[in-house]
Amino acid sequence: RYANGFALLAGYTYAHTSANQLSLASPNAVINAKGDNGGRRHLFKGTMSYMLPYNVNVGANIKMQSGQPIQRTFSVQACTTTVTTNCLSQGQTTIIAEAPGSSELDSLFTVDLRGGRFFAVGSHKVEVSMDVYNLTNANTTFSVRQTSTETNIRVAGDPSAPVTRIPGYYSPTGVLGPRILRFNVTYWFR
């Protein structure tokens, strides 16, 4: 609730998950399975809003997250009549190449701002506002491929572009979007 035109909400989460093995289906699941096996360890979120004179409202959201732990893997192909070496007779499998939590992506920090003004229109009101997302214009990578094998990509995801092979491990699959400015007009019914 607002107190003297001001509201603040903040929260912090600490998470820690460890594992001894990932599966009971195969003994390969025990290889490098023991260790930190959770998501981001630290997460802080804060939101504030302040009502200024003349029905002007400003607000901010701040989010800080520690890096996402990642784990290098590699695939071993299944043995067939034509593939007889460097293969597994029980079928293709993915092996964990390093212990969980031994590598971590960069921390993620975002700031979003909002400013707006309310206008009375009879018994209703109209709000004109502007939102700024990713104020710092950070381009933090928050998701990557974890396999050691090469990966096929097409530039800009264009299906007509030629296929390019890149190293799979640590190649980005998710990057924080650019700064966005959004203008809004909201009509409030009472």
Side-chain angles (χ1 to χ4, degrees):
R1 294 183 178 181
Y2 278 96
N4 298 320
F6 182 75
L8 175 68
L9 176 66
Y12 170 77
T13 301
Y14 173 81
H16 180 238
T17 305
S18 61
N20 290 325
Q21 65 186 54
L22 301 176
S23 169
L24 298 174
S26 166
N28 294 319
V30 178
I31 299 170
N32 288 324
K34 187 174 184 178
D36 289 342
N37 196 20
R40 299 177 188 277
R41 182 150 301 183
H42 304 279
L43 171 61
F44 172 80
K45 290 182 182 181
T47 300
M48 65 78 61
S49 181
Y50 189 69
M51 185 64 75
L52 296 166
Y54 305 106
N55 294 323
V56 174
N57 189 4
V58 293
N61 291 318
I62 296 173
K63 182 167 59 172
M64 294 180 278
Q65 302 177 40
S66 58
Q68 179 77 22
I70 61 171
Q71 192 173 37
R72 183 189 289 260
T73 63
F74 65 92
S75 294
V76 180
Q77 60 188 337
C79 294
T80 64
T81 55
T82 56
V83 178
T84 57
T85 60
N86 297 324
C87 60
L88 291 173
S89 59
Q90 70 261 32
Q92 181 175 341
T93 192
T94 298
I95 305 291
I96 300 169
E98 62 184 11
S102 57
S103 296
E104 201 174 83
L105 296 178
D106 291 337
S107 297
L108 188 60
F109 176 73
T110 58
V111 177
D112 303 326
L113 298 178
R114 180 179 181 90
R117 186 176 191 284
F118 291 100
F119 298 92
V121 180
S123 62
H124 307 282
K125 64 181 177 179
V126 173
E127 179 188 19
V128 177
S129 63
M130 182 182 79
D131 297 310
V132 182
Y133 298 101
N134 190 9
L135 178 69
T136 62
N137 204 28
N139 63 345
T140 309
T141 299
F142 60 84
S143 176
V144 295
R145 291 178 182 90
Q146 298 180 56
T147 182
S148 294
T149 56
E150 289 188 333
T151 299
N152 292 333
I153 65 161
R154 294 179 189 271
V155 174
D158 181 2
S160 63
V163 171
T164 303
R165 291 192 59 77
I166 63 169
Y169 184 67
Y170 223 77
S171 60
T173 57
V175 177
L176 189 62
R179 180 185 305 117
I180 296 172
L181 298 176
R182 185 177 77 177
F183 298 93
N184 315 289
V185 176
T186 308
Y187 187 80
W188 299 74
F189 296 94
R190 291 189 188 183

